[in-house]
Amino acid sequence: MPQGKKATIKDVAREAKVSISVVSYVLNSSTEKSISPATRDRVMEAAKRLQYVPNRAASGMRRKHSMVIGVVSYWELDVLVFTDMMKGITRKSSAANYRILFCHRESKQDDVSYLQYCQDGSIDGIVFIAPYESLGLIDEAFHIRQMKEAKVPFVVLNGSTHEDGVSYINVDYCGSTYLATSYLIGKGHKDIAYVAPLELHYTELERRLQGYQDAMSNSRLPVRCHDVKELPDCLHGLKAVVTNKSDTAHSVLQAAHKLGIDVPRELAVIAANTEAYSSYLFPPLSTVRIPAERMGELAVETLLEQLTGAAEPKLIMPPCALEIRQTC
Amino acid sequence: MPQGKKATIKDVAREAKVSISVVSYVLNSSTEKSISPATRDRVMEAAKRLQYVPNRAASGMRRKHSMVIGVVSYWELDVLVFTDMMKGITRKSSAANYRILFCHRESKQDDVSYLQYCQDGSIDGIVFIAPYESLGLIDEAFHIRQMKEAKVPFVVLNGSTHEDGVSYINVDYCGSTYLATSYLIGKGHKDIAYVAPLELHYTELERRLQGYQDAMSNSRLPVRCHDVKELPDCLHGLKAVVTNKSDTAHSVLQAAHKLGIDVPRELAVIAANTEAYSSYLFPPLSTVRIPAERMGELAVETLLEQLTGAAEPKLIMPPCALEIRQTC
DNA sequence: CTGTTAGCGCGTTCAC
DNA sequence: GTGAACGCGCTAACAG
């Protein structure tokens, strides 16, 4: 009969008439110690009867780990790539019996207070989900250096830096546009333009531009780029468009609609990322899907390797995949 | 100079040449004890020099609380209402110096293993974000009873049950359609139909239907309902439509497009919830916004009240708001 | 009034 | 199989 208070290991020991160490051995099915089946059973039953649950703080204190992973992220919660990452992270970590402490950050440039979570023993490591460089939210390198200095095990998701000894799980931006462009080329298109914010110079945007250029020159096709500001006029005479993101594609679709251009008959459109709304655009937008869920899994895997013995730093960029809908 | 190991309270005590209790008093700015400014300063400085961070597990063990709130949710991560709730939850809890342990569940009817998080001291209470009843994912009442039985402090978000002594922060489904319908009435519409999945009978859907009916009969207008399956034909002759969700409205927009009906000129459309993609529909969909962010805040507030002294159970339904875009 | 000692809380682990 | 130290910080009771 359970009283108001939670049962402790002592209660179980008393109930099973053994010492607390035996209870611990039994419950952790320690291989080093051999406990007779008889006492083993007594302990198990006592634990069940008292509904005993080991206190995680106490055990973690001895074992030197909390079995909790901190996820620090600067992303808006409703961005598909982010939610996909979270799915992968939660799945992999719960499979490994880790839990997720969620630290949502709102742009405070150089606030590294999340480090405390590690220093106070709340978490064993960090999955650091960096925001797009182009948002200018944080100084990624600074955060990474702080984590290194604090000797906190961590992995960077969606990084845009290259710090020594750090594991990155990054988006293959170059591959995303390369894939999109190659798809259009494969469908027989020759006049393929790239539309994006061109005057901005961030790794992400330059990689995406690069992927487009690579695909075109591989097929000896002429490169043609337009800034989003040139919409809608730049659409005249175009047969196919690759955009950096769904957002830009949305603008292209609106411009085409305004000009009376039929998509996909007169103009093929494909975006190099998928957003939650991509399939709700009109017509439903063909995209390249960033394997964010897989990236989340990889991040946790990589972090776990770090936690269980020093692992080599890695740089992983899982390949993107096409999601063809109705705009090409 | 920091060694490899983290500093403990003992280190600080030694460094400041006081006993560990003094360190504790100073750092917790205990009001019961008065410590001379001199020693106080010595302690503070020593703590700073050693970069001392109290171990949360150890302190929680004594103080009987972890300062962590568990969020258990069955929602898809990319649903706007959910992400909004999370925003409110994270904001309010971090303001109160609580942290968020995130427990994403994937439909396993009666799995209440999250209770363990409370029993093992990982969390102090639970914000239980119930999935839509209509999804048939869980037996909400069962979960609630289990939490009650386990004597776990908790609050239910988006509940569809009515258990005694339980605090609910619920969606005002009735108000959402009432508001949408009233808006159309206010614009002079008289032929306003309600489109939704009518054959399903869940609290949520019935409340939404109710809101529409109330608004219509208040204005002595005739009620007219159509099941989503009657699309596109039921649109003929209609001037205005209220739908339960953006999803349904999306179907309506597609049907209208197919029939060559111009929205909003010939047909006004408004949905009783906002999704992330609502503004990306064509035309951008007018909706009613559920105050999910505020609900998240209220959930944490309510839970915190429970944690700091027994509070009355509450039932809160914050009002919805219009988000008029281009479909009406 | 300032500070100390002692012991608690809970589970793990080593020596016996 | 047991006893006891240990990990880390908090706090009640006590001494200067």
Side-chain angles (χ1 to χ4, degrees):
Chain A
M1 60 196 74
Q3 324 95 278
K5 298 282 76 185
K6 290 171 207 154
T8 77
I9 197 171
K10 281 185 191 162
D11 300 322
V12 179
R14 194 181 329 108
E15 187 83 0
K17 299 185 199 306
V18 293
S19 66
I20 54 174
S21 25
V22 174
V23 178
S24 177
Y25 290 137
V26 170
L27 263 42
N28 295 314
S29 44
S30 166
T31 48
E32 327 242 309
K33 285 287 177 182
S34 51
I35 306 290
S36 76
T39 42
R40 175 172 235 87
D41 287 351
R42 280 216 316 286
V43 170
M44 293 300 256
E45 213 202 302
K48 195 143 299 163
R49 193 162 49 240
L50 298 177
Q51 301 192 56
Y52 168 66
V53 178
N55 180 308
R56 197 120 165 159
S59 110
M61 203 144 75
R62 284 274 2 177
R63 291 197 169 155
K64 296 295 185 196
H65 57 231
S66 60
M67 299 299 282
V68 177
I69 291 174
V71 174
V72 358
S73 162
Y74 295 78
W75 286 57
E76 280 301 307
L77 293 171
D78 53 5
V79 178
L80 184 67
V81 170
F82 170 73
T83 55
D84 274 354
M85 285 176 180
M86 284 303 289
K87 283 183 194 174
I89 290 170
T90 53
R91 169 164 319 130
K92 253 297 185 273
S93 53
S94 73
N97 200 25
Y98 275 81
R99 297 168 187 180
I100 296 300
L101 191 74
F102 184 59
C103 322
H104 178 64
R105 319 288 299 175
E106 304 191 337
S107 61
K108 274 219 228 151
Q109 281 291 346
D110 51 359
D111 175 7
V112 290
S113 53
Y114 55 82
L115 283 179
Q116 210 186 32
Y117 297 3
C118 231
Q119 289 157 346
D120 72 11
S122 295
I123 60 180
D124 294 336
I126 292 176
V127 173
F128 187 90
I129 311 186
Y132 282 121
E133 189 187 7
S134 55
L135 294 177
L137 286 184
I138 63 164
D139 179 351
E140 183 181 312
F142 171 77
H143 282 262
I144 290 178
R145 271 183 257 116
Q146 294 294 309
M147 287 191 279
K148 276 170 79 170
E149 199 168 303
K151 300 236 180 11
V152 170
F154 71 100
V155 170
V156 178
L157 256 171
N158 188 49
S160 53
T161 55
H162 306 276
E163 296 283 328
D164 274 353
V166 174
S167 283
Y168 290 91
I169 319 290
N170 285 347
V171 176
D172 184 6
Y173 291 115
C174 189
S176 69
T177 43
Y178 188 92
L179 185 60
T181 311
S182 302
Y183 178 76
L184 292 178
I185 294 173
K187 298 256 291 186
H189 283 285
K190 303 215 176 301
D191 287 329
I192 307 170
Y194 179 66
V195 179
L198 292 178
E199 78 278 18
L200 299 175
H201 297 287
Y202 294 105
T203 323
E204 165 212 342
L205 290 165
E206 288 179 346
R207 290 276 167 69
R208 284 215 157 110
L209 175 58
Q210 188 69 47
Y212 161 76
Q213 288 171 335
D214 289 354
M216 292 302 271
S217 54
N218 279 358
S219 299
R220 307 194 187 294
L221 292 173
V223 163
R224 178 173 164 187
C225 299
H226 290 291
D227 191 272
V228 283
K229 290 194 185 123
E230 298 173 45
L231 288 172
D233 298 333
C234 65
L235 254 38
H236 287 296
L238 269 181
K239 290 295 178 192
V241 168
V242 174
T243 72
N244 60 326
K245 309 183 104 191
S246 284
D247 198 36
T248 309
H250 182 218
S251 303
V252 171
L253 291 178
Q254 285 181 318
H257 186 257
K258 195 170 298 172
L259 297 178
I261 299 173
D262 184 81
V263 175
R265 201 169 48 76
E266 300 173 283
L267 179 68
V269 180
I270 185 167
N273 86 335
T274 309
E275 303 275 6
Y277 58 78
S278 299
S279 60
Y280 286 95
L281 292 178
F282 181 76
L285 179 67
S286 297
T287 60
V288 171
R289 179 82 172 233
I290 291 161
E293 195 163 342
R294 179 76 192 122
M295 290 173 64
E297 294 184 357
L298 286 166
V300 172
E301 278 177 23
T302 306
L303 182 59
L304 259 37
E305 283 171 17
Q306 269 185 54
L307 294 180
T308 63
E312 302 288 286
K314 292 179 182 174
L315 171 56
I316 310 181
M317 291 203 304
C320 299
L322 287 167
E323 280 189 346
I324 301 305
R325 297 192 183 83
Q326 295 175 29
T327 56
C328 70
Chain B
M1 60 196 74
Q3 323 95 281
K5 298 282 77 186
K6 289 171 208 155
T8 77
I9 197 172
K10 282 183 191 163
D11 300 322
V12 178
R14 196 182 326 109
E15 186 84 0
K17 300 186 198 310
V18 292
S19 68
I20 55 172
S21 30
V22 174
V23 178
S24 177
Y25 290 141
V26 170
L27 263 42
N28 296 311
S29 43
S30 165
T31 48
E32 327 244 308
K33 286 286 178 181
S34 50
I35 306 291
S36 73
T39 42
R40 173 173 236 87
D41 286 351
R42 279 216 318 286
V43 170
M44 292 300 254
E45 213 202 303
K48 196 143 297 164
R49 193 162 49 241
L50 299 176
Q51 300 190 58
Y52 169 66
V53 179
N55 181 308
R56 197 119 164 160
S59 105
M61 205 143 73
R62 277 284 347 193
R63 291 193 169 161
K64 295 298 184 196
H65 57 232
S66 59
M67 300 299 282
V68 177
I69 291 174
V71 174
V72 358
S73 163
Y74 295 77
W75 285 57
E76 280 302 308
L77 294 170
D78 53 5
V79 178
L80 184 67
V81 170
F82 170 73
T83 54
D84 274 354
M85 286 176 180
M86 284 303 289
K87 284 183 194 174
I89 290 170
T90 53
R91 170 164 317 130
K92 254 299 185 270
S93 53
S94 72
N97 200 25
Y98 275 81
R99 297 168 187 179
I100 295 300
L101 191 75
F102 184 59
C103 323
H104 177 64
R105 319 289 298 175
E106 303 191 340
S107 60
K108 273 219 228 152
Q109 282 292 345
D110 52 357
D111 174 6
V112 290
S113 53
Y114 55 83
L115 284 180
Q116 210 186 32
Y117 298 3
C118 233
Q119 290 158 346
D120 72 12
S122 296
I123 60 180
D124 294 336
I126 292 175
V127 173
F128 187 91
I129 311 186
Y132 282 121
E133 188 187 7
S134 54
L135 295 176
L137 285 182
I138 62 164
D139 179 352
E140 183 181 311
F142 171 77
H143 283 262
I144 290 178
R145 270 182 258 116
Q146 294 294 309
M147 287 191 280
K148 275 169 79 171
E149 198 168 303
K151 300 238 180 10
V152 169
F154 70 99
V155 170
V156 178
L157 256 171
N158 189 47
S160 53
T161 55
H162 306 275
E163 297 282 329
D164 273 354
V166 174
S167 282
Y168 290 90
I169 318 291
N170 284 348
V171 176
D172 184 6
Y173 291 115
C174 189
S176 69
T177 43
Y178 188 93
L179 186 59
T181 310
S182 301
Y183 178 75
L184 292 178
I185 294 173
K187 297 256 291 188
H189 284 284
K190 304 217 177 298
D191 287 330
I192 306 170
Y194 180 66
V195 179
L198 292 177
E199 78 279 17
L200 299 175
H201 296 289
Y202 293 105
T203 323
E204 165 213 342
L205 290 165
E206 289 179 346
R207 290 277 167 70
R208 284 215 156 109
L209 175 58
Q210 187 68 49
Y212 161 76
Q213 289 171 336
D214 288 354
M216 292 301 271
S217 55
N218 277 0
S219 299
R220 308 195 185 294
L221 291 172
V223 164
R224 178 173 164 185
C225 299
H226 290 291
D227 191 90
V228 283
K229 290 190 184 126
E230 298 173 45
L231 289 172
D233 297 333
C234 64
L235 253 39
H236 286 296
L238 269 181
K239 291 294 177 192
V241 168
V242 174
T243 73
N244 61 327
K245 309 183 104 192
S246 284
D247 199 37
T248 308
H250 181 218
S251 303
V252 170
L253 291 178
Q254 285 181 319
H257 186 257
K258 195 171 296 172
L259 297 177
I261 299 174
D262 185 80
V263 175
R265 203 169 46 77
E266 299 173 285
L267 179 69
V269 180
I270 185 167
N273 86 335
T274 309
E275 304 275 5
Y277 58 79
S278 298
S279 60
Y280 287 95
L281 292 178
F282 182 77
L285 179 66
S286 297
T287 61
V288 171
R289 179 81 172 233
I290 291 160
E293 194 163 341
R294 179 73 192 126
M295 290 174 63
E297 294 184 356
L298 286 166
V300 172
E301 278 177 23
T302 306
L303 182 59
L304 260 34
E305 283 170 17
Q306 269 184 55
L307 294 180
T308 62
E312 300 289 287
K314 292 180 183 175
L315 171 57
I316 310 181
M317 291 203 304
C320 300
L322 287 166
E323 279 189 347
I324 300 305
R325 298 193 183 85
Q326 295 174 28
T327 57
C328 70

